[in-house]
Amino acid sequence: PRALTLAEIAAIPSLFAAAALRTKTAGFDAVEIHSAHGYLLNQFFSPLLNHRTDEYGGDVHGRIKLHLEVIAAAAFEAAGVDMLDITGGIYGYLRPGHTEPGYYAELSEAIKGVVTIPVILTGGVTEPEQAESLLADGKADLIGVGRAILADSGWALLAEERA
């Protein structure tokens, strides 16, 4: 990635808003503001990629400045975010030493303890029983299973059958 100019950064929140409006117009009920896996907002958040020295770099507050501008408030929950999806990884980098299903569970559990909105845990869950166990242990309110569903479009039916 290259460092964007301040003028380019200033245009980004309105681009997100326009995309959300198109999504609503198309009939969808929700929009996910994705900030993981190397996408633009993740590039701002990641200290591996963000080496800026202006207000969009440095400590975590600078690195989430664009996120807060995209949702137009001082904190995600206060901004009206309805749900948080806890995941991670960038260019093959995951949590070192964590390969278990729900490898971000301790992070989602900690976040769940300080917000009142639902928390989704995404990462490494491949079997319905793994999802049920993480939910029963209070690690999250919902489980994200993107890759498992991509690998098997019948995953949700399997989960329902096993319930």
Side-chain angles (χ1 to χ4, degrees):
R2 68 169 176 83
L4 297 175
T5 67
L6 293 177
E8 289 171 316
I9 294 170
I12 291 171
S14 64
L15 296 172
F16 271 91
L21 181 59
R22 287 191 305 273
T23 302
K24 182 175 182 174
T25 302
F28 289 88
D29 296 325
V31 173
E32 178 179 15
I33 299 171
H34 194 67
S35 181
H37 312 123
Y39 292 103
L40 179 66
L41 292 177
N42 183 230
Q43 292 175 20
F44 273 85
F45 178 67
S46 172
L48 298 173
L49 296 175
N50 184 343
H51 301 281
R52 300 182 73 95
T53 57
D54 60 15
E55 67 265 33
Y56 293 96
D59 68 10
V60 69
H61 300 289
R63 295 191 327 265
I64 67 166
K65 183 174 174 35
L66 181 57
H67 297 71
L68 298 175
E69 290 173 354
V70 166
I71 59 173
F76 293 110
E77 187 172 7
V81 170
D82 295 317
M83 196 174 311
L84 294 171
D85 186 351
I86 309 308
T87 186
I90 183 169
Y91 306 119
Y93 178 87
L94 297 172
R95 285 188 78 201
H98 291 274
T99 58
E100 72 280 2
Y103 38 78
Y104 295 105
E106 67 188 57
L107 302 174
S108 63
E109 182 178 32
I111 292 167
K112 185 174 163 33
V114 296
V115 299
T116 60
I117 57 178
V119 174
I120 304 170
L121 168 59
T122 301
V125 175
T126 59
E127 298 295 327
E129 295 80 10
Q130 297 165 344
E132 290 296 336
S133 176
L134 290 162
L135 292 171
D137 290 345
K139 303 298 184 185
D141 300 300
L142 301 158
I143 303 296
V145 289
R147 288 187 183 148
I149 289 176
L150 283 174
D152 179 4
S153 63
W155 194 93
L157 292 173
L158 176 65
E160 187 176 47
E161 288 171 7
R162 291 184 183 175

